[in-house]
Amino acid sequence: MTVIRRTVCAMALLLVTPLLAGCNEEEQARPIHMEKGVYRGAADSPLSADQVQALQQRSAGQRF
C-alpha cells in the first residue's frame, strides 16, 4: 500500500511542477479584464518626416 501511495504522490508532484513553473512574475500583474476600445499600452512615438515619406512610397503601389 505504501508503494502505491508513494507512486501516486510522485506522479502528482511531476504533474504539478510544470504548472507552477508556468506562473511567471511578469504575467502576474497583467490586467485580465480589458475594456473594449481602450488601449492601455505605451503611447507611440511620432514618426519623422523621412519615415512618413518612406511609408507613403511603400504604400503608393498598393492603391487601386
Side-chain angles (χ1 to χ4, degrees), residues 15-62:
L15 291 173
V16 170
T17 302
L19 294 175
L20 293 175
C23 299
N24 296 332
E25 285 186 30
E26 69 244 6
E27 293 179 356
Q28 292 178 358
R30 69 178 182 191
I32 296 176
H33 300 288
M34 305 290 180
E35 292 182 39
K36 187 175 182 178
V38 176
Y39 178 69
R40 294 188 181 229
D44 291 336
S45 59
L47 297 176
S48 68
D50 292 336
Q51 291 173 323
V52 171
Q53 184 180 9
L55 286 173
Q56 287 173 343
Q57 288 176 351
R58 286 178 54 194
S59 65
Q62 298 177 3

Side-chain angles (χ1 to χ4, degrees), residues 7-17:
T7 304
V8 169
C9 288
M11 297 277 287
L13 183 63
L14 288 174
L15 291 173
V16 170
T17 302

